[in-house]
Amino acid sequence: MNPALAPALDLSAFPRRALLDGPTPIQHLPRLSAHLGGADIYVKRDDVTGLGGGGNKLRKLEFLIGEALARGADTIITVGARQSNHARLTAAAAARIGLECELVLTRTVPRFDHDYIENGNIVLDALFGARVHDLPGSANALQFAEDRANELRTQGRNVYVCPLGGSSPTGCLGYVDCAAEIVAQSHARGLPFDRIVVPNGSSGMHAGLVAGFVAMGLDPSNIDAFTVLGNASHAHATTLDKANQTVQLIAANLRVERDAISIDEAQLGPGYGMPTDSMRAAVRLMASKEGLLLDPVYSGKAFAGLVENVTTGKYPAGQKILFVMSGGLPGLFAYRSEF
Ligand SMILES: *Cc1c(COP(=O)(O)O)cnc(C)c1O
């Protein structure tokens, strides 16, 4: 990327409700980088966004809640897995702003132990005052959410329904903004990153970053994503579609090319929310070398992929790699038995 050439990105046309307190820091990981003996590893601390325990969904929620408030909403409903970080942060943001919040959570991850069902994010959902609808794994959460929204509307409520992971094009604008923030920080600190590494779940973080680079006229193909939800071809199609829809919110003539999206499925393991040995090793490594916390569902798997790429020489000494830490700390308590 050549940040000097980047035009300022103007997102002021989109309604937005501030939930972050300014840019998140970029930090170098000297001990971990030396231990692995390859590229220099840096982290973008999107896990330290103060509200509600923090995490990447707050960037999306700035625009989603902005849109909800612009439409006069008094209630927000969203969907997710039982341990959804997005659901928890939607509940926290709703509490902060004074919206009613309902969460439609499905038991899609085949874990039924007490920690997974009752600990972690679910403890916090209740503290934030959200109403939780507990559905089986086979349920259509979005359909349930739409039906519930219609029921509330007949009672006079104004309901905003937010999709899985907050990854509508509007939500993805949060990561368009983050792309501009990374470029500005990289420029200010003289840190030209060779690669940016992210997890890809509902694809909004990845799609938003790609859309942001395209909108700034920069090469978007230096982002490596590790899918933690669908297989590579499914994640690729979803991400490309979301990136295009997002960039076209900014300017109708912009396009994202197929090869701008790079998805690796090597860390997916048996599926979404299913632990892998390399995830456990990556979480332990980050904690023991740097005192930083990854999560078992997203960032642990993506960071395992980064470690693999350093040890195989794909990210050699001399390169600078930026890993976007996305939060999800409560998940460690839901997966206690894995550690
Ligand atoms: C949701 C989430 C992600 C993935 O972001 P998407 O936009 O859904 O791809 C990564 N890390 C954490 C901790 C998350 O909660």
Side-chain angles (χ1 to χ4, degrees), residues 56-57 60 85-86 165 167 199-206 295 298-299 326-328:
N56 72 342
K57 301 307 178 311
K60 303 178 188 177
N85 298 305
H86 166 64
S167 290
N200 184 315
S202 65
S203 303
M205 177 163 63
H206 184 192
D295 83 284
Y298 301 92
S299 57
S326 46

Side-chain angles (χ1 to χ4, degrees), residues 76-300:
I76 186 162
I77 304 183
T78 197
V79 300
R82 181 84 181 163
Q83 287 293 335
S84 168
N85 298 305
H86 166 64
R88 181 242 315 164
L89 288 169
T90 301
R96 168 79 149 250
I97 285 152
L99 295 172
E100 295 292 315
C101 179
E102 298 198 11
L103 307 174
V104 181
L105 305 182
T106 54
R107 300 195 177 200
T108 35
V109 175
R111 291 180 74 89
F112 303 98
D113 61 291
H114 187 75
D115 287 323
Y116 188 82
I117 299 299
E118 299 296 348
N119 206 341
N121 283 293
I122 208 83
V123 176
L124 307 182
D125 296 341
L127 286 177
F128 296 134
R131 171 165 177 188
V132 172
H133 301 273
D134 179 15
L135 268 61
S138 57
N140 182 339
L142 204 52
Q143 187 59 55
F144 185 99
E146 294 292 359
D147 292 346
R148 175 69 182 148
N150 285 331
E151 184 182 334
L152 290 170
R153 284 173 190 132
T154 64
Q155 299 166 20
R157 304 254 293 270
N158 185 331
V159 187
Y160 182 85
V161 178
C162 189
L164 185 76
S167 290
S168 64
T170 296
C172 292
L173 290 171
Y175 272 88
V176 170
D177 188 55
C178 183
E181 191 175 301
I182 289 170
V183 169
Q185 289 174 314
S186 163
H187 185 48
R189 294 190 35 199
L191 284 174
F193 294 110
D194 295 280
R195 314 293 305 169
I196 298 174
V197 178
V198 294
N200 184 315
S202 65
S203 303
M205 177 163 63
H206 184 192
L209 288 171
V210 168
F213 281 104
V214 169
M216 288 183 285
L218 299 174
D219 178 9
S221 63
N222 65 343
I223 303 173
D224 292 333
F226 289 89
T227 178
V228 301
L229 182 59
N231 64 26
S233 73
H234 184 265
H236 188 278
T238 307
T239 308
L240 181 61
D241 182 47
K242 285 187 195 298
N244 267 309
Q245 287 188 51
T246 304
V247 87
Q248 282 154 28
L249 289 178
I250 297 164
N253 63 326
L254 292 172
R255 290 286 176 280
V256 176
E257 304 297 333
R258 278 192 62 81
D259 62 6
I261 311 282
S262 149
I263 311 257
D264 190 328
E265 70 176 44
Q267 300 298 328
L268 177 58
Y272 177 75
M274 309 276 278
T276 60
D277 288 343
S278 56
M279 176 280 288
R280 281 184 283 261
V283 170
R284 281 185 202 290
L285 185 69
M286 184 70 117
S288 62
K289 293 293 176 204
E290 297 286 354
L292 299 181
L293 297 167
L294 297 166
D295 83 284
V297 178
Y298 301 92
S299 57

